[in-house]
Amino acid sequence: MMNDLMDFDEVLARFEPVIGLEVHVELSTASKMWCGCSTTAGAEPNTHVCPVCLGLPGSLPVVNQSAIEAAIRIGLMLNCSIASWCRFARKNYFYPDMTKDYQISQYDEPIAFDGTVTIDVGGEPFTVPIERAHMEEDAGKLTHIGGSGRIQDADYSLADYNRAGVPLIEIVTKPVTGAGARAPEVARAYMEFLRDAVKALGVSDARLERGNMRCDVNVSLMPIGSEVLGTRSETKNVNSLRTVEESVRYEMRRQGAILAAGGRVKQETRHWNEAGYTTPGRSKEEAEDYRYFPEPDLVPVAPDAAWVEQLRESLPENPVSRRSRLRAAWGLADREFDDVVGVDGALDLIDATVAAGASPAGARKWWMGELARRANEQGCGLDELTITPKQVAEIQDLVETGALTDRLAREVFDGVLGGEGTPAQVIEARGLAVVSDDGALAEAVQAVLAANPDIVAKIRDGKTAAAGALIGQVMGRLQGKADAARVRELIMEACA
């Protein structure tokens, strides 16, 4: 249930918010971190497993080189130093979804450390300090049977180890101070940056809603003027940009109320409830509670300096720089551009559509409107729709040249998404081209005028708005396959 909350402005008047974000990025390698098992999602439970990822006695892990490369490239994108020598450690804990009962991770010797990223927060730059980016493995998945489907009232749980051993990169910020009222927005903008960065690098699908990226959100408050960090809470596995922002705001207000009443904030994990609040989880462990020690079955990793520099030179454009460039080039209103950034994959698709010849406004109209609606109906991402940016550009070009109306264009989208072929093939098969022959248009106009002498009289009396009713009838006769502006012209000429 929701706790007592302090007004957000009062929190800011009395306390300095400090946030920290721990983001797990699931890599899109073909095989797992220590073995050759497939990482493809959706398989039957416990079919992508072997003695290594099940941790059976006598099995030995071997590190995935593609995961090492992805970790280095992520570290470079975060302006981190790359370790010339690092190694793995065992993190000991009760893991019901890992048969080894420990996780192979990195502890005091991460592959990337001491970085900074400058993000865009409402048009203003903000620098986030990076503590580290380290490699580790994912756990399996538990499905709780009975009750509400949550562990608290389940009859029993089923373990699927297909995901156990999938490569992860954990990116940890240093305590982020100085954000003040913008702390919730900073958290969201940072997650947007990471999502766009790892997608640009091609190392992860970065779909928060599917768990490809998961964020643990740390929040604490310290009195204004103090330099001693407060006790933090850690909201676990937050999986959307919106809830990252909302969880920071909620925890600031919850902790503010506790401190103002003379209470103490518990160091604990918390869980986000979609109704808009957090609930307690468990007391938060410190590093020593995990009894880390060097992983004896894996050799250290020592990236060659020349290789690291080759990877640095191959980095894509920084997401913040790219957004700034596209914002200026496209000329969209700030709100329109920000809406694009907020939808996963939309920026890339619109950029590709513009590159294929569409105007930025036209490309945005279809991807953020009609196609976003269809993706929502199908429960998929925009980039999973069976239509390409080139095809969207072709359809928009036909609209701009008058060969299609917006209504006809939607029918073309129906056909392309339904697997009926290219836009040209759909137009031909469905007979969707606009009627551009003035003779055919004039014939339809005359028939409608003859059937509506009273409306014609109103138009001739100067009531030109009445022409709308006639335009609708003409468009109906032509099944919407006409340019409404040209139809209006013909009606007004005939009534002159």
Side-chain angles (χ1 to χ4, degrees):
M1 60 183 295
M2 186 173 291
N3 299 90
D4 292 333
L5 302 177
M6 177 180 282
D7 181 78
F8 189 71
D9 290 337
E10 186 177 352
V11 174
L12 297 171
R14 301 178 62 168
F15 302 101
E16 168 70 20
V18 181
I19 60 175
L21 299 163
E22 303 171 23
V23 180
H24 288 85
V25 178
E26 182 181 280
L27 300 182
S28 54
T29 54
S31 58
K32 292 186 181 181
M33 191 70 188
W34 320 117
C35 65
C37 288
S38 172
T39 59
T40 302
E44 287 295 312
N46 298 311
T47 56
H48 291 174
V49 294
C50 72
V52 173
C53 57
L54 289 177
L56 299 185
S59 63
L60 291 174
V62 177
V63 70
N64 185 328
Q65 181 174 338
S66 295
I68 298 287
E69 179 176 323
I72 294 172
R73 297 183 76 215
I74 288 174
L76 292 171
M77 182 67 91
L78 299 174
N79 300 304
C80 287
S81 298
I82 304 301
S84 59
W85 188 95
C86 64
R87 59 182 172 178
F88 292 96
R90 287 191 183 183
K91 182 180 180 181
N92 296 277
Y93 189 68
F94 174 63
Y95 291 101
D97 43 9
M98 294 185 75
T99 58
K100 299 193 294 285
D101 218 23
Y102 62 84
Q103 181 190 41
I104 301 177
S105 181
Q106 291 188 304
Y107 174 44
D108 55 344
E109 298 164 311
I111 193 166
F113 55 93
D114 285 343
T116 59
V117 292
T118 299
I119 59 176
D120 184 320
V121 184
E124 297 292 330
F126 188 92
T127 299
V128 176
I130 305 298
E131 175 73 32
R132 58 197 277 140
H134 66 261
M135 300 174 285
E136 60 186 26
E137 61 180 331
D138 207 347
K141 178 183 178 182
L142 295 179
T143 301
H144 307 297
I145 307 300
S148 65
R150 298 173 66 87
I151 192 170
Q152 289 88 341
D153 59 356
D155 297 325
Y156 57 94
S157 298
L158 300 175
D160 176 11
Y161 296 108
N162 281 348
R163 196 176 64 188
V166 167
L168 294 179
I169 304 298
E170 182 175 358
I171 303 166
V172 182
T173 70
K174 295 178 181 179
V176 180
T177 60
R182 297 190 299 167
E185 298 171 71
V186 166
R188 176 178 181 139
Y190 173 73
M191 284 297 292
E192 285 182 344
F193 172 89
L194 285 187
R195 179 198 66 188
D196 293 349
V198 298
K199 290 187 73 172
L201 289 167
V203 299
S204 175
D205 293 334
R207 295 192 184 280
L208 279 76
E209 74 281 3
R210 297 183 187 174
N212 300 139
M213 281 184 69
R214 308 189 292 273
C215 182
D216 297 339
V217 181
N218 293 271
V219 178
S220 66
L221 298 177
M222 57 183 182
I224 297 294
S226 172
E227 295 183 358
V228 179
L229 295 177
T231 303
R232 63 189 171 94
S233 67
E234 180 181 5
T235 305
K236 301 288 289 184
N237 295 325
V238 184
N239 66 349
S240 79
L241 299 176
R242 175 184 59 83
T243 52
V244 166
E245 180 176 357
E246 290 182 356
S247 65
V248 172
R249 187 178 299 274
Y250 178 83
E251 277 299 297
M252 287 173 62
R253 298 181 65 197
R254 183 186 72 86
Q255 294 182 25
I258 292 172
L259 295 173
R264 297 179 62 185
V265 174
K266 294 181 181 178
Q267 183 164 316
E268 62 185 357
T269 64
R270 297 184 69 85
H271 302 288
W272 177 256
N273 188 297
E274 287 303 323
Y277 57 91
T278 64
T279 55
R282 54 179 168 76
S283 61
K284 177 59 180 172
E285 295 80 5
E286 298 291 354
E288 57 267 23
D289 295 320
Y290 292 117
R291 305 188 314 283
Y292 283 99
F293 64 85
E295 169 56 63
D297 291 335
L298 286 167
V299 298
V301 174
D304 180 72
W307 181 45
V308 172
E309 290 309 306
Q310 289 177 359
L311 294 179
R312 190 190 306 275
E313 292 173 4
S314 72
L315 293 180
E317 184 179 12
N318 180 283
V320 172
S321 300
R322 183 186 182 212
R323 286 187 199 172
S324 178
R325 174 175 60 81
L326 293 178
R327 187 187 294 268
W330 288 356
L332 299 177
D334 285 345
R335 179 62 183 272
E336 291 176 335
F337 191 87
D338 290 342
D339 287 345
V340 169
V341 171
V343 176
D344 191 13
L347 191 71
D348 292 337
L349 292 166
I350 293 172
D351 192 15
T353 306
V354 171
S359 65
R364 179 192 177 280
K365 176 182 74 173
W366 293 118
W367 284 111
M368 296 297 291
E370 185 69 16
L371 294 171
R373 179 182 66 79
R374 291 169 186 265
N376 186 58
E377 290 173 351
Q378 296 179 28
C380 68
L382 273 180
D383 57 358
E384 295 175 302
L385 291 174
T386 54
I387 191 167
T388 66
K390 184 175 182 295
Q391 290 172 330
V392 176
E394 290 174 10
I395 294 170
Q396 175 60 14
D397 180 64
L398 293 171
V399 171
E400 291 180 353
T401 58
L404 290 176
T405 63
D406 277 4
R407 190 185 73 78
L408 292 176
R410 292 186 183 93
E411 290 195 47
V412 178
F413 283 120
D414 280 337
V416 175
L417 293 170
E420 297 175 21
T422 65
Q425 290 169 336
V426 172
I427 290 168
E428 182 178 358
R430 293 195 178 195
L432 296 177
V434 163
V435 176
S436 56
D437 175 33
D438 269 3
L441 292 176
E443 182 179 341
V445 167
Q446 289 301 323
V448 168
L449 294 179
N452 296 275
D454 53 334
I455 298 179
V456 171
K458 289 180 181 179
I459 295 172
R460 287 174 174 162
D461 285 342
K463 299 177 181 177
T464 57
L470 300 182
I471 294 170
Q473 291 186 43
V474 173
M475 296 296 285
R477 279 177 173 267
L478 297 173
Q479 298 180 310
K481 301 173 184 178
D483 181 347
R486 181 56 180 152
V487 170
R488 179 181 176 84
E489 289 176 4
L490 292 174
I491 289 174
M492 299 310 294
E493 288 173 6
C495 293

